[in-house]
């Protein structure tokens, strides 16, 4: 394969610039593809100790193909409370606030693990509905997860961590 120098020596300036432009365009396209496929997020808080620590940076592969036991990065809920009646508060899930890192403990079609996690008693049915997950933090005492949120929609999933940097 010829290098840029050989191309410049054996071809006209316009042809060499064309080859250079194609090479740069290819690199730009590859970079754009990687940016759409992967994203970096930073762990905030102790909810995933000992797996991940506060400040760890994770390379996350964007996907909605989740298996039970996978660590997932999901959209962090921001609640707005509305009153429907005296003392009746209804939280609404709002996008755009940040990310949460949790472990998927049950995926669509699997049994809800109430025997291991009694706090999941409030979830309806025996199995996880289609398009939903049950997620928990590894450090249960410090985690805000399905015990508080209920089922989490697969649409809220950014992806799964592929690597970590401290």
């Amino acid at each position: 394969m010829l290098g840029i120098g050989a191309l410049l020596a054996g071809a006209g300036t316009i042809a060499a610039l064309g080859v250079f432009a194609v090479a740069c365009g290819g690199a730009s396209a590859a970079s754009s593809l990687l940016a759409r496929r992967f994203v970096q997020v930073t762990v905030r808080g102790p909810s995933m100790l000992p797996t991940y620590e506060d400040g760890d940076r994770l390379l996350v592969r964007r996907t909605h193909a989740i298996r039970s036991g996978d660590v997932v990065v999901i959209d962090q809920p921001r609640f707005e409370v509305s009153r429907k009646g005296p003392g009746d508060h209804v939280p609404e899930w709002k996008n755009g606030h940040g990310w949460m890192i949790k472990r998927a403990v049950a995926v669509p079609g699997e049994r809800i693990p109430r025997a291991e996690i009694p706090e999941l008693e409030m979830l309806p049915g025996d199995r996880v509905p289609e398009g939903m997950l049950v997620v928990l933090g590894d450090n249960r005492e410090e985690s805000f997860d399905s015990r508080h949120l209920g089922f989490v929609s697969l649409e809220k999933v950014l992806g799964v961590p592929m690597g970590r940097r401290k």
Side-chain angles (χ1 to χ4, degrees), residues 106-112 126-133 151 154:
V107 297
E110 290 184 347
R111 285 196 157 298
I112 298 169
D126 290 332
R127 298 197 175 270
V128 178
E130 195 62 37
M132 301 300 235
L133 297 171
F151 296 115
L154 278 167

Side-chain angles (χ1 to χ4, degrees), residues 10-26:
T13 304
I14 293 177
L17 288 175
V19 170
F20 182 72
V22 169
C24 288

Side-chain angles (χ1 to χ4, degrees), residues 4-160:
I4 295 290
L7 287 170
L8 287 172
T13 304
I14 293 177
L17 288 175
V19 170
F20 182 72
V22 169
C24 288
S28 176
S31 174
S32 176
L33 178 63
L34 284 174
R36 281 183 277 155
R37 187 81 174 137
F38 296 94
V39 66
Q40 179 177 293
V41 299
T42 302
V43 176
R44 295 286 176 230
S47 74
M48 284 302 289
L49 285 170
T51 307
Y52 297 117
E53 298 176 9
D54 185 59
D56 285 353
R57 291 181 291 182
L58 308 178
L59 180 63
V60 177
R61 179 176 50 91
R62 294 176 189 262
T63 184
H64 290 121
I66 307 300
R67 295 178 302 213
S68 191
D70 283 351
V71 173
V72 294
V73 177
I74 58 176
D75 188 39
Q76 181 174 336
R78 176 177 56 115
F79 291 102
E80 291 185 4
V81 178
S82 60
R83 285 190 177 270
K84 296 210 176 220
D88 187 18
H89 298 280
V90 180
E92 297 178 31
W93 195 296
K94 300 291 183 182
N95 290 333
H97 184 64
W99 301 108
M100 290 185 354
I101 300 156
K102 304 294 174 199
R103 188 170 304 277
V105 296
V107 297
E110 290 184 347
R111 285 196 157 298
I112 298 169
R114 289 189 179 97
E116 300 86 4
I117 304 119
E119 298 94 340
L120 296 176
E121 188 60 41
M122 55 43 162
L123 295 177
D126 290 332
R127 298 197 175 270
V128 178
E130 195 62 37
M132 301 300 235
L133 297 171
V134 175
V135 299
L136 296 174
D138 287 357
N139 181 3
R140 306 265 165 83
E141 292 179 13
E142 297 290 332
S143 183
F144 184 72
D145 48 39
S146 285
R147 296 170 301 163
H148 312 95
L149 296 168
F151 296 115
V152 173
S153 171
L154 278 167
E155 292 178 5
K156 302 290 182 191
V157 173
L158 174 66
V160 296

